Amino acid sequence: MTTRWIDSPIGGLRLHADGDKLTAIDFDASVEGARVENDILDAAERQLQEYFAGERTEFDLSLAAQGTDFQHRVWAELMKVPFGETASYGDISQRLGLDRRGPRAVGTANGRNPIPIVVPCHRIIGADGSLTGYAGGLDRKAQLLNLETPGLF
């Protein structure tokens, strides 16, 4: 496992890689340790910088998130929500063919997404259009959504 700290407009981020796959991004990371060279971390850092600069709308990175089969199904649906758009937990639940308890299960899986920003869990909002839970905090979620669609929140 290799890690790298980067600065961003939403605070310090710690990128985690296993070989040539990005495995996680942590919020509220502090600077620690020497900079380790790694191709996937180089690519992730560059693409995140481009995203925050408004120059990138999609990520092209090899990912290896740890999770259950259900979580992977939810995360795959999150990847289909385009830059600048949002979907509700219910929308994702319907796409997956879940029952009435589906939105809650989607919310739980969404909250366990280990690769935020790249797997755009911030684009999932409440059925009424409100901001709802985000592992990085609602302020960060609003910042990310406003980066993609200025003035949205």
Side-chain angles (χ1 to χ4, degrees):
M1 186 71 70
T2 307
T3 64
R4 178 181 299 167
W5 178 88
I6 66 168
D7 193 18
S8 82
I10 61 169
L13 301 174
R14 171 117 9 243
L15 311 179
H16 299 264
D18 188 0
D20 63 349
K21 307 267 190 219
L22 185 67
T23 59
I25 298 175
D26 298 330
F27 294 113
D28 294 324
S30 60
V31 180
E32 26 180 279
R35 183 178 175 88
V36 176
E37 292 305 314
N38 176 284
D39 290 343
I40 191 67
L41 294 178
D42 292 343
E45 180 176 2
R46 179 179 33 77
Q47 289 186 30
L48 284 162
Q49 288 171 341
E50 292 167 354
Y51 169 81
F52 287 118
E55 300 166 354
R56 175 174 288 278
T57 60
E58 293 181 7
F59 293 93
D60 181 23
L61 299 166
S62 295
L63 308 177
Q66 295 292 318
T68 67
D69 288 343
F70 177 73
Q71 288 169 336
H72 280 279
R73 286 179 52 214
V74 170
W75 300 336
E77 285 302 316
L78 301 180
M79 297 291 286
K80 296 176 185 176
V81 180
F83 179 92
E85 295 185 24
T86 59
S88 71
Y89 297 97
D91 294 336
I92 301 299
S93 176
Q94 284 182 333
R95 292 177 195 173
L96 292 170
L98 303 176
D99 65 17
R100 64 179 180 77
R101 294 181 303 255
R104 184 177 300 269
V106 166
T108 299
N110 196 43
R112 294 205 170 108
N113 170 22
I115 312 176
I117 306 167
V118 173
V119 177
C121 52
H122 62 278
R123 295 181 188 151
I124 310 306
I125 60 174
D128 63 357
S130 65
L131 288 182
T132 57
Y134 188 62
L138 293 182
D139 287 345
R140 271 196 192 94
K141 185 171 188 166
Q143 282 181 281
L144 292 168
L145 290 170
N146 284 326
L147 173 84
E148 296 183 11
T149 306
L152 185 63
F153 286 96

